[in-house]
Amino acid sequence: MFCAAVDWGTSSFRLWLLDRAGMVVAERRSDEGMQHCHRVGFAPVLEAHLAAAGAPTGLPVMICGMAGARQGWQEAGYLDLPARLDTLPEQAIRIAGAAREVFILPGLAQRRAEAPDVIRGEETQLLGVLDASDDTRLFCLPGTHSKWVAVEQGAVTRFATFMTGELFALLSRHSILAHAMPQDMEVREDAPRFLEGVEDGASAPEAATRRLFGLRASQLLGFSDRGDGAAYLSGLLIGVEIAGARAFDGGEKALTLLAGGPLARLYERALTVHGYTVATRDAGEATRRGLHQAALRRWPHCAPVEAAS
Amino acid sequence: MFCAAVDWGTSSFRLWLLDRAGMVVAERRSDEGMQHCHRVGFAPVLEAHLAAAGAPTGLPVMICGMAGARQGWQEAGYLDLPARLDTLPEQAIRIAGAAREVFILPGLAQRRAEAPDVIRGEETQLLGVLDASDDTRLFCLPGTHSKWVAVEQGAVTRFATFMTGELFALLSRHSILAHAMPQDMEVREDAPRFLEGVEDGASAPEAATRRLFGLRASQLLGFSDRGDGAAYLSGLLIGVEIAGARAFDGGEKALTLLAGGPLARLYERALTVHGYTVATRDAGEATRRGLHQAALRRWPHCAPVEAAS
């Protein structure tokens, strides 16, 4: 075994034990994210999962995500732009007083007064999918806080975060629109109301807060069905994101989408409709590969640690 | 005493006892809105307030608002557009089996597939401020669901609802932005960050979901203060509403604003910056006057009911 790789988000924890080639030896998932560990402590949660996964004593650990936020385990700071992704590992901070080597990767900060922005976690996904150190590409990483990232010659030069996923969660569960859709229903990318929402959001983003109420009114007046509510809302918010990304993409329409599952299919469809050529890579795998890359750079000469017999 | 006038909203109840000239004899307020009464019943709440205010037996009651929604006391339906506001009273529905005459005014429905919309409560405010039956004006009624309404020759011809207030409440309390602002802090209309938000929202509404995250990032990176978070958010959402209203106002920039308190001052400032000439009328007074107008039309020959001695 070579290292443990941990993706530690706000509300989720994911651990892989990897060999030197990056192959998965064991894996653990839980909902013990930053918010949970803020109360119970980070070290006990990590050690419990390492033990349960069969990690030997002394196996080093590479972490990315919100565990490195100010309100996390220990603040891992931010790299300023332009940020070469292959320098992330050397800027990782070491947890003081841990029983083994535990590092947390830093995030990225865009310190521009007119477009201040931060990334924490997605930088590691990007590291995991760069093909060469001079890679130049446009990325979209959808999620709670959807990120669009420009990488030039292996360095992140600018990025933009859209609150798409969080708005969907808030509006579908806690607004008047909770009455306008069944809860936790999966949206299909070929649903007509999803595509209608994408079109409305992308073509007239200024009308979005009006369309939100219109979704409810449309049902009250019999123009649409409650079963289609989530599809329209999802499409509308993704459409607004696409409208906002026009000012960001610089005319570049070849896009690498880092996502998985239904969300990947929704974004693929919406982006393709709006002229993007989309290559999709699995987000979870990208994170694991990024952590593995970081571990290889941090511990280049490390001999594998043998599991205790 | 001539009648009781009741503004019965989703989460609020307001009652006035009026004389024939519309002067207020007594007044009651509570948070026993539709959501509360849905559980405990509407009649007992109404009768308790009438008794506490000293209303005589048999005093008729005119109600507007969500008490007339499908999930309210009794559905009062909608008038289709174009809807003459002076026909509202004759379309009021009478509560069956009540101990006295109790009427609920209908709402308005815009049955257009491309812009379905409904109003319930604001139609009564409009009735309260129309100067003559051939009045032609553009109105803005800000709130949880902000309404823009075109009245032509005394009839509502079209309207648009923006979810501005509900978005502010959701984002400021339940999103990541709850960390970005003190709770329940009053926003001042001359706060620079409010005006900056208005400008950002109105000039680039497509960037709004990005600006939302930027508000948090801006504080993390030291570009703005937590104390200004609510001002920026309020400005941004009002700015987006103004951008969306451009497609609605038809170039008309003389606007009657029906609002009160701090909200009136915020909208006055934001609308004036964007070229509107704003005349403000108090929203609560407009509702009371509208209910009084409706009562006069419903009971034109009614003799005043004397209070029991």
Side-chain angles (χ1 to χ4, degrees):
Chain A
M1 235 174 285
F2 170 59
C3 76
V6 178
D7 179 11
W8 213 328
T10 302
S11 56
S12 65
F13 173 94
R14 193 168 178 187
L15 173 146
W16 299 271
L17 300 188
L18 303 176
D19 69 13
R20 189 157 190 101
M23 297 295 289
V24 178
V25 180
E27 186 173 353
R28 307 270 305 169
R29 279 174 193 256
S30 88
D31 57 4
E32 292 153 301
M34 177 192 70
Q35 285 170 337
H36 172 84
C37 298
H38 193 66
R39 299 189 301 270
V40 304
F42 288 78
V45 170
L46 176 62
E47 288 298 330
H49 279 287
L50 285 168
T57 310
L59 190 77
V61 180
M62 184 61 71
I63 300 174
C64 71
M66 293 302 285
R70 199 168 304 167
Q71 64 275 43
W73 191 352
Q74 192 171 307
E75 190 173 8
Y78 300 107
L79 301 195
D80 288 339
L81 305 191
R84 285 201 62 82
L85 290 165
D86 53 14
T87 67
L88 281 170
E90 67 204 50
Q91 302 294 329
I93 57 128
R94 182 169 180 178
I95 297 289
R100 61 180 86 225
E101 274 194 90
V102 178
F103 281 85
I104 307 182
L105 291 165
L108 305 180
Q110 179 166 280
R111 299 183 195 275
R112 287 164 46 206
E114 75 284 9
D117 213 332
V118 292
I119 269 185
R120 192 175 288 288
E122 292 88 352
E123 73 295 326
T124 305
Q125 290 182 36
L126 294 169
L127 177 65
V129 295
L130 284 194
D131 296 322
S133 63
D134 63 347
D135 217 346
T136 293
R137 273 195 279 172
L138 180 65
F139 291 90
C140 173
L141 300 86
T144 302
H145 299 144
S146 192
K147 309 279 181 185
W148 287 63
V149 183
V151 172
E152 299 175 48
Q153 304 281 327
V156 172
T157 51
R158 59 205 171 80
F159 59 92
T161 304
F162 298 84
M163 215 189 256
T164 310
E166 184 165 3
L167 281 169
F168 181 84
L170 278 177
L171 288 164
S172 63
R173 289 179 209 154
H174 301 298
S175 81
I176 189 182
L177 298 183
H179 304 294
M181 57 195 68
Q183 295 300 296
D184 299 319
M185 192 172 137
E186 189 173 307
V187 176
R188 289 182 55 93
E189 71 278 13
D190 55 0
R193 282 286 277 170
F194 170 72
L195 296 168
E196 197 186 320
V198 171
E199 184 53 33
D200 284 352
S203 66
E206 73 282 3
T209 65
R210 176 180 178 182
R211 299 288 192 192
L212 289 175
F213 189 81
L215 168 53
R216 175 73 173 144
S218 170
Q219 294 177 5
L220 286 173
L221 301 179
F223 289 108
S224 69
D225 296 328
R226 186 166 170 274
D228 294 334
Y232 183 80
L233 177 62
S234 171
L236 183 72
L237 294 171
I238 293 174
V240 170
E241 179 178 330
I242 289 173
R246 275 184 209 122
F248 181 83
D249 69 18
E252 172 63 46
K253 295 298 173 187
L255 190 69
T256 302
L257 180 69
L258 291 182
L263 194 62
R265 294 192 293 275
L266 294 175
Y267 270 79
E268 279 166 3
R269 183 65 177 258
L271 290 164
T272 303
V273 165
H274 285 278
Y276 290 94
T277 307
V278 180
T280 304
R281 299 284 297 269
D282 184 77
E285 194 183 320
T287 303
R288 195 189 73 226
R289 287 170 54 102
L291 287 164
H292 177 240
Q293 287 298 314
L296 283 176
R297 285 174 184 274
R298 191 80 220 180
W299 302 298
H301 309 299
C302 232
V305 180
E306 296 307 326
S309 60
Chain B
M1 234 175 286
F2 170 59
C3 75
V6 177
D7 179 10
W8 213 327
T10 301
S11 56
S12 65
F13 173 94
R14 194 167 178 188
L15 174 147
W16 299 272
L17 300 188
L18 303 176
D19 69 14
R20 191 157 188 98
M23 297 294 290
V24 177
V25 180
E27 187 174 352
R28 307 270 306 169
R29 281 174 191 256
S30 88
D31 55 5
E32 291 152 301
M34 178 192 69
Q35 285 170 338
H36 172 83
C37 299
H38 193 66
R39 298 188 301 270
V40 304
F42 289 77
V45 169
L46 176 61
E47 287 299 330
H49 280 286
L50 286 168
T57 310
L59 189 76
V61 180
M62 185 60 72
I63 300 173
C64 72
M66 292 302 284
R70 199 169 304 169
Q71 64 276 43
W73 190 353
Q74 192 171 308
E75 190 173 9
Y78 300 107
L79 300 195
D80 288 340
L81 306 192
R84 284 202 63 84
L85 290 166
D86 52 15
T87 67
L88 282 170
E90 66 203 51
Q91 303 294 329
I93 57 126
R94 183 170 178 176
I95 295 289
R100 61 180 85 225
E101 276 195 87
V102 178
F103 281 84
I104 307 182
L105 291 165
L108 306 180
Q110 178 166 280
R111 299 183 195 274
R112 285 165 46 206
E114 75 284 11
D117 213 332
V118 291
I119 270 185
R120 193 174 286 288
E122 292 88 352
E123 73 294 326
T124 305
Q125 290 183 36
L126 294 168
L127 178 64
V129 295
L130 283 194
D131 296 322
S133 63
D134 62 347
D135 217 345
T136 293
R137 272 196 279 172
L138 179 66
F139 291 89
C140 171
L141 300 86
T144 302
H145 300 146
S146 193
K147 309 278 182 187
W148 287 63
V149 184
V151 173
E152 298 175 48
Q153 305 283 326
V156 172
T157 51
R158 57 204 173 80
F159 58 92
T161 305
F162 299 84
M163 214 189 257
T164 311
E166 184 166 3
L167 281 169
F168 180 83
L170 277 177
L171 287 164
S172 63
R173 289 180 208 152
H174 301 297
S175 80
I176 189 183
L177 299 182
H179 304 294
M181 56 195 68
Q183 295 301 295
D184 300 319
M185 193 170 137
E186 189 173 307
V187 176
R188 289 181 55 92
E189 71 277 12
D190 55 359
R193 281 285 277 170
F194 170 74
L195 296 168
E196 196 186 322
V198 171
E199 184 53 33
D200 284 352
S203 65
E206 73 283 0
T209 64
R210 176 179 177 183
R211 298 286 192 193
L212 290 176
F213 189 81
L215 168 52
R216 174 73 173 145
S218 170
Q219 294 178 4
L220 285 173
L221 300 179
F223 288 108
S224 69
D225 295 329
R226 187 166 169 273
D228 293 334
Y232 183 80
L233 177 62
S234 171
L236 183 72
L237 293 170
I238 293 174
V240 170
E241 179 179 330
I242 290 174
R246 274 183 210 123
F248 180 83
D249 70 16
E252 172 62 48
K253 296 296 174 190
L255 189 69
T256 302
L257 180 70
L258 292 182
L263 194 62
R265 294 192 292 275
L266 295 176
Y267 270 79
E268 280 165 3
R269 183 65 178 259
L271 290 164
T272 303
V273 165
H274 284 277
Y276 290 94
T277 307
V278 180
T280 303
R281 300 283 297 269
D282 183 76
E285 195 183 318
T287 302
R288 195 189 74 227
R289 287 169 56 103
L291 287 163
H292 177 241
Q293 288 297 315
L296 284 176
R297 286 173 183 273
R298 190 80 222 180
W299 303 298
H301 309 299
C302 232
V305 181
E306 296 306 326
S309 60

